[in-house]
């Protein structure tokens, strides 16, 4: 066994184990920490594949920004996880169906390597040895896959707006500013003339 193959098995094993702990951990903070561990080991797999730009992007963007943001949001929000998990059994059949479909898709992908190993790399783009990794990735991403790239950006935008709408809560007893009500006020509602007697206060 060569050294790169040994590190591949190490990174792959830790990534799969961390991904399993993300969905099975009872504490949400521990789940986010396992998610960060999975990202770091996935970056190691990218480094072994020669995609150093994607590896550093995974570390800087996902570990440095997204995962840390998830950690702070989970720690700062007062979320009742017991109430959220109480209705988990109601969605268990749907989750099992989706999981079975994903498992069958993974079996089909894995079986394609055995049935037709030549077809797997037939759709790949030719690699230009004179071009660095970052430049080649940019040319492919913004020329051949530009519509898919913009579609992924639209999906992420919709997900961000949905997360904001779902977490927006109107709590009673909190004073909120209404710009429309302030602009629609009349002078008689805001100003009161009081006649003060000489030598007396309000």
């Amino acid at each position: 066994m060569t050294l790169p193959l040994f590190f591949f098995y190490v990174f792959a094993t830790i990534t799969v184990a961390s991904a399993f702990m993300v969905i099975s951990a009872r504490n949400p903070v521990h789940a986010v920490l396992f998610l960060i561990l999975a990202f770091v080991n996935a970056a190691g797999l990218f480094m072994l594949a020669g995609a150093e730009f994607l590896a550093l992007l995974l570390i800087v963007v996902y570990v440095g920004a997204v995962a840390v943001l998830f950690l702070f949001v989970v720690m700062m929000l007062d979320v009742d996880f017991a109430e959220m998990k109480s209705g988990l059994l109601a969605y268990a059949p749907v989750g099992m169906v989706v999981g079975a479909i994903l498992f069958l898709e993974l079996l089909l992908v894995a079986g394609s390597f055995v049935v037709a190993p030549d077809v797997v790399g037939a759709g790949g783009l030719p690699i230009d040895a004179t071009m660095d990794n970052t430049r080649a990735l940019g040319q492919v991403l913004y020329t051949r896959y530009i519509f898919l790239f913009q579609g992924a950006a639209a999906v992420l935008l919709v997900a961000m707006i949905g997360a904001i709408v779902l977490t927006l809560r109107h709590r009673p007893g909190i004073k909120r500013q209404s710009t429309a009500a302030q602009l629609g006020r009349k002078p008689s509602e805001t100003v009161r003339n009081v006649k003060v007697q000489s030598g007396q206060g309000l």
Side-chain angles (χ1 to χ4, degrees):
M1 178 181 292
T2 60
L3 190 61
L5 185 60
F6 170 75
F7 280 110
F8 169 78
Y9 283 118
V10 171
F11 289 144
T13 304
I14 298 177
T15 303
V16 174
S18 301
F20 178 76
M21 291 302 299
V22 169
I23 61 176
S24 61
R26 295 182 178 273
N27 193 336
V29 177
H30 295 168
V32 176
L33 293 177
F34 280 116
L35 180 64
I36 294 175
L37 182 60
F39 283 155
V40 172
N41 287 274
L45 292 175
F46 277 128
M47 290 293 290
L48 291 177
E52 66 278 355
F53 176 75
L54 293 179
L56 295 177
L57 195 66
L58 193 65
I59 294 293
V60 173
V61 176
Y62 284 92
V63 176
V66 177
V68 176
L69 179 62
F70 285 168
L71 184 61
F72 276 103
V73 167
V74 168
M75 293 176 64
M76 292 177 63
L77 289 180
D78 188 13
V79 181
D80 190 2
F81 291 97
E83 182 180 355
M84 293 177 61
K85 293 181 179 179
S86 60
L88 186 62
L89 294 178
Y91 301 99
V94 179
M96 293 177 64
V97 172
V98 174
I101 294 174
L102 292 177
F103 182 71
L104 290 177
E105 290 179 351
L106 290 176
L107 288 180
L108 291 176
V109 172
S112 62
F113 288 94
V114 180
V115 177
D118 298 333
V119 182
V120 177
L125 296 177
I127 299 176
D128 189 0
T130 62
M131 188 179 300
D132 59 289
N133 189 3
T134 306
R135 186 184 299 273
L137 180 64
Q139 286 189 355
V140 173
L141 189 62
Y142 292 106
T143 54
R144 183 171 180 176
Y145 300 104
I146 180 63
F147 295 109
L148 296 177
F149 181 73
Q150 295 296 330
V155 170
L156 291 176
L157 178 62
V158 172
M160 181 182 67
I161 296 175
I164 295 174
V165 172
L166 291 176
T167 56
L168 183 61
R169 300 177 181 177
H170 295 282
R171 299 178 181 177
I174 298 179
K175 295 183 178 180
R176 298 183 180 275
Q177 182 180 5
S178 178
T179 307
Q182 291 180 350
L183 296 177
R185 291 183 304 176
K186 299 179 180 179
S188 59
E189 299 175 354
T190 57
V191 180
R192 184 177 63 176
N193 294 326
V194 178
K195 185 176 181 181
V196 181
Q197 298 294 332
S198 178
Q200 297 180 359
L202 292 177

